[in-house]
Amino acid sequence: MNRFVFPLLLLLTPAISYAAVSANEFNTARDAYRAKDIPRLERLAEKMQGDELEIYPRYWLITAQIDEIPEPQIKQFLQTYSGSQLADRLRADWLKQLGKAERWETFSAEWPALINSDAELNCFQYRARHALKDMTALQAARPLWFSGKDQSDGCGPLFELLRSNGLVTQDNIWERIRLAQEENNLGLMKRMIELVPTDQAFSSKQLDQVAASPQAALKKDQFSYRTRGGRELAIYAMLRIGRTDPDQGVELLREMKDHFNAADQAYIWGQLALASARKNRPEALEWFQMAGNIALSPLQLEWKTRSALRSGNWQAVLATIESMSNTQQAEGTWRYWRARSLKALGRVPEANELFAPLSREHHFYGLLAREEVGNVADVAAGRYRPSDSEINGMRRLASLSRALTLYRLDQRGDAVREWNWGVRGMEDTQLIAAAELAARNFWYDRAIYTAERTKDVHDFSLRYIAPYREVVQDAAKQIELDEAWVFGLMRQESRFVTVARSNVGASGLMQLMPATAQWVAKRLGYKKFRADMVNEIGTNVQLGTYYLKHVLDTLGGQPVLATAAYNAGPGRAKAWKASRPLEAAIYIETIPFTETRDYVKKVMANAHWYSRSFNQPAISMYQRIGVVPGS
């Protein structure tokens, strides 16, 4: 049978009943797709016809042949499965083929129907607009240039258009080289230097030498300071050293300053100040001042604010936040600290104007703001309860039904994508009904994901669901741990996925590393502990709570320190302390690791809500996080 005709016949045949596809059949079809075994995949697609998962082998049949598949067949799939996440993925795949072939009219006709785009498609979209005589396209695309990260291959021709039309200058090329060196992206630096006149450039070999040993490069002093490339290479060497040892970076700058103009010196000071701030060094704020009036990046502004917080300089906190863009200032973090700085400076009415709306939000800083303004309507007290009819209505939605089937077949990645697609754009009451459906199917992470999306009508019992409570309660009680805190940590660690495994190898509900699990098991007297036992619910909770208690006791009973230590290790948590006692909120905000900083905020906020859910004695958020003692 013709390799193209069979799938089209399948597409024209409507699914009239749902068979029960097995996990083995689904996996076999996926394997055939990955092996590009089209005849086998066709047979499996025919076998799965009529099943609610029939869309998958049909999608695989097309994507496996996307380079040569007839266009009517693609359009037929998009029409037959209109509104599905696989139709959107196929449209994205097709648009990339159209972009590579520079079929801009067809691309532009299909582009508006796409829901989920990516960087490569965005570049193709700007090229399509330009090709079809949209005079605003290239100017709109110009911000894409200013990134130190790699862009997709599809963006290369767009960047050439920007250069050939005078929208990217030589200064802009050097600006991108600096952005690339800030990301330590040697590949991009090498590609950019090829666009620079030879008499101003450095070589790839020189760059490799500096990257391998910046100290040796500076000691040999082989830089040609009269060229832009020579100066930039010296700056790169200096900052490679300074990011690890800011003091040495400053020493080098002072020794070499005569080689650089005022703008270059200000840039170097700004980068060394950032490196110092990220190490919570007290001189960071002074070094930011040495950068003068240069425009600081959003990241630099964040860390300048954190340095000011750490030093207790509320005037600098306020001034730095007010120099951020409106978008950055609107983030909950900076609204809270702006309000705190206004309050500290005696401008209480202005502070309260910021605290009041923030207090109606449910994250870490919303909870702290709530305590600043006093009585606030208790959003957790009410609870919307969907009817069985509403819940069954969610079950009948094609994407959610497929998601649940995939979940039962242990196809977690596809299941999550289907579920997330299905709940986008839902009203609050629909989201709660869908979250309840997930919870009834013991799919706790999707219940949380869905319940968290509500804006005005909520069910906090689904946002802060508490499965396995008897197991956790038992383990926490035995070692005198706060049950709410354990649940708050567990929710953040695994979202109650019992087989969760992180990219660094942590496993189970409490995400234990293998070495930690072995160490705790030995302490608890396990005689025949095996690595796979860490995924058993009872074992994981017992080991995890024991380790959490151990860390808490080691760190003087301070829960914020212990939470940071659980994520990043006790040594780091202690190293991040100040020399004097520090308000815990400031300690948290100045944690150098973005992941750990976000983790601690969420765990402590989670603990608050679980405490409410468990009817524990009321405790303020400021009391819960306390003060971090000095080192």
Side-chain angles (χ1 to χ4, degrees):
M1 183 175 287
N2 185 289
R3 67 190 296 196
F4 298 127
V5 174
F6 183 78
L8 183 55
L9 289 174
L10 280 175
L11 287 170
L12 295 174
T13 306
I16 54 174
S17 64
Y18 286 164
V21 66
S22 70
N24 183 58
E25 288 171 323
F26 189 88
N27 285 326
T28 301
R30 189 194 295 278
D31 290 343
Y33 161 66
R34 288 171 174 164
K36 296 192 180 297
D37 186 344
I38 302 303
R40 187 182 184 201
L41 185 53
E42 286 175 346
R43 292 193 298 272
L44 290 164
E46 183 177 23
K47 185 176 182 181
M48 289 177 65
Q49 184 176 332
D51 189 272
E52 67 177 326
L53 299 183
E54 67 176 16
I55 186 175
Y56 280 86
R58 296 181 184 198
Y59 168 74
W60 294 331
L61 276 169
I62 294 178
T63 56
Q65 310 168 83
I66 191 74
D67 293 342
E68 46 194 293
I69 205 86
E71 193 169 289
Q73 191 165 335
I74 295 174
K75 289 184 175 181
Q76 181 64 53
F77 183 98
L78 296 177
Q79 180 180 344
T80 303
Y81 299 107
S82 176
S84 68
Q85 64 102 8
L86 285 182
D88 196 64
R89 284 171 64 184
L90 178 60
R91 192 183 304 278
D93 294 338
W94 184 31
L95 283 167
K96 287 181 181 179
Q97 295 304 119
L98 293 171
K100 290 171 184 175
E102 299 186 355
R103 293 179 55 197
W104 300 125
E105 289 189 1
T106 306
F107 183 99
S108 295
E110 294 295 330
W111 170 261
L114 183 69
I115 303 298
N116 290 332
S117 184
D118 61 24
E120 184 175 23
L121 283 169
N122 287 337
C123 287
F124 281 137
Q125 179 258 154
Y126 286 121
R127 289 178 64 197
R129 286 170 54 185
H130 175 71
L132 298 176
K133 310 303 181 186
D134 180 345
M135 296 298 103
T136 67
L138 294 185
Q139 189 64 48
R142 190 169 178 270
L144 295 177
W145 172 267
F146 298 96
S147 171
K149 299 183 186 300
D150 288 315
Q151 302 275 29
S152 67
D153 292 341
C155 294
L158 175 65
F159 292 153
E160 284 301 311
L161 281 171
L162 292 176
R163 290 179 60 232
S164 63
N165 283 270
L167 293 174
V168 167
T169 66
Q170 281 294 307
D171 282 343
N172 298 147
I173 293 170
W174 285 112
E175 189 174 350
R176 194 166 183 211
I177 287 172
R178 281 192 174 176
L179 291 170
Q181 70 93 353
E182 289 168 20
E183 298 283 347
N184 199 30
N185 188 341
L186 268 65
L188 180 57
M189 291 177 73
K190 290 176 181 178
R191 290 194 295 277
M192 289 296 101
I193 203 65
E194 292 176 359
L195 307 178
V196 171
T198 307
D199 63 347
Q200 291 294 316
F202 51 76
S203 69
S204 292
K205 182 179 179 181
Q206 288 174 311
L207 180 60
D208 287 336
Q209 288 172 340
V210 171
S213 181
Q215 292 90 345
L218 288 169
K219 188 175 181 180
K220 291 177 182 178
D221 196 22
Q222 294 179 340
F223 303 106
S224 177
Y225 293 105
R226 60 184 176 78
T227 68
R228 178 73 185 264
R231 293 191 299 275
E232 292 295 337
L233 203 57
I235 290 171
Y236 176 55
M238 197 185 310
L239 294 180
R240 283 275 289 177
I241 294 168
R243 289 189 182 109
T244 303
D245 185 345
D247 286 333
Q248 189 179 357
V250 167
E251 185 179 330
L252 288 167
L253 173 57
R254 286 175 172 148
E255 290 175 3
M256 301 166 61
K257 66 179 182 179
D258 291 344
H259 294 299
F260 306 105
N261 62 29
D264 286 344
Q265 290 184 45
Y267 170 76
I268 298 166
W269 275 115
Q271 291 299 311
L272 292 173
L274 174 61
S276 180
R278 295 178 89 161
K279 294 178 181 294
N280 287 324
R281 301 282 295 275
E283 66 274 7
L285 202 55
E286 177 189 344
W287 292 1
F288 274 118
Q289 300 308 313
M290 296 295 290
N293 294 321
I294 65 164
L296 298 178
S297 70
L299 182 64
Q300 286 173 309
L301 289 169
E302 286 185 12
W303 279 102
K304 185 178 179 182
T305 305
R306 292 184 180 115
S307 292
L309 281 172
R310 194 92 170 181
S311 66
N313 188 335
W314 291 105
Q315 190 66 58
V317 171
L318 180 61
T320 308
I321 293 173
E322 290 184 341
S323 68
M324 294 176 176
S325 68
N326 290 337
T327 301
Q328 193 173 10
Q329 283 191 53
E331 295 172 15
T333 298
W334 308 122
R335 281 184 288 144
Y336 172 80
W337 288 114
R338 185 178 183 215
R340 281 288 306 274
S341 64
L342 287 166
K343 181 182 176 182
L345 295 170
R347 296 161 63 179
V348 177
E350 292 174 77
N352 288 339
E353 286 181 12
L354 292 170
F355 281 134
L358 187 59
S359 70
R360 293 189 287 274
E361 298 172 23
H362 314 309
H363 49 72
F364 178 74
Y365 283 122
L367 292 172
L368 291 180
R370 185 170 305 186
E371 295 180 16
E372 295 285 349
V373 298
N375 294 328
V376 176
D378 186 0
V379 295
R383 174 186 172 188
Y384 180 79
R385 299 177 186 275
S387 66
D388 286 343
S389 175
E390 289 175 290
I391 296 166
N392 288 332
M394 293 297 106
R395 190 188 301 274
R396 287 191 293 271
L397 294 177
S399 192
L400 299 194
S401 180
R402 279 195 296 269
L404 288 168
T405 298
L406 289 162
Y407 180 62
R408 286 192 289 271
L409 296 179
D410 200 27
Q411 303 295 323
R412 180 168 174 75
D414 288 314
V416 167
R417 282 187 287 272
E418 286 281 7
W419 185 274
N420 294 355
W421 178 269
V423 300
R424 65 191 175 82
M426 284 186 175
E427 300 292 331
D428 286 352
T429 54
Q430 294 174 307
L431 286 167
I432 293 171
E436 180 64 31
L437 174 63
R440 291 185 182 186
N441 283 272
F442 311 106
W443 200 1
Y444 302 122
D445 64 310
R446 289 310 90 191
I448 293 168
Y449 170 87
T450 310
E452 277 190 326
R453 297 171 68 85
T454 58
K455 296 177 181 177
D456 300 307
V457 180
H458 309 291
D459 183 346
F460 275 67
S461 71
L462 287 168
R463 281 195 185 201
Y464 297 94
I465 200 164
Y468 321 116
R469 188 174 177 195
E470 287 186 8
V471 176
V472 177
Q473 209 170 27
D474 226 24
K477 187 176 180 180
Q478 285 181 28
I479 54 177
E480 299 181 335
L481 268 184
D482 174 17
E483 176 195 5
W485 182 39
V486 175
F487 264 103
L489 184 140
M490 193 183 298
R491 181 185 189 271
Q492 188 58 28
E493 285 287 353
S494 66
R495 287 294 196 269
F496 306 109
V497 178
T498 58
V499 294
R501 187 174 179 83
S502 75
N503 56 6
V504 294
S507 299
L509 288 171
M510 297 191 71
Q511 288 291 280
L512 290 164
M513 293 293 289
T516 303
Q518 288 281 358
W519 179 81
V520 175
K522 186 175 180 181
R523 298 263 306 218
L524 290 175
Y526 279 70
K527 299 297 183 186
K528 296 181 180 179
F529 182 77
R530 302 184 316 277
D532 62 330
M533 291 171 64
V534 79
N535 286 322
E536 296 172 5
I537 293 169
T539 302
N540 189 278
V541 170
Q542 185 183 34
L543 298 179
T545 52
Y546 180 92
Y547 180 66
L548 183 59
K549 174 67 170 175
H550 167 77
V551 169
L552 181 66
D553 291 343
T554 301
L555 295 170
Q558 219 298 334
V560 165
L561 278 178
T563 303
Y566 197 92
N567 179 261
R572 292 192 180 104
K574 286 188 284 189
W576 296 333
K577 292 163 67 174
S579 58
R580 67 185 192 288
L582 200 63
E583 178 188 338
I586 294 176
Y587 172 89
I588 294 169
E589 189 52 53
T590 57
I591 289 173
F593 294 176
T594 302
E595 178 194 322
T596 305
R597 185 167 60 250
D598 184 59
Y599 174 90
V600 176
K601 291 177 189 178
K602 288 180 176 175
V603 169
M604 300 315 294
N606 292 349
H608 166 87
W609 292 114
Y610 277 114
S611 177
R612 296 285 305 278
S613 174
F614 300 158
N615 295 313
Q616 292 181 347
I619 179 174
S620 77
M621 195 63 177
Y622 285 123
Q623 288 175 303
R624 180 175 292 281
I625 63 178
V627 172
V628 174
S631 56

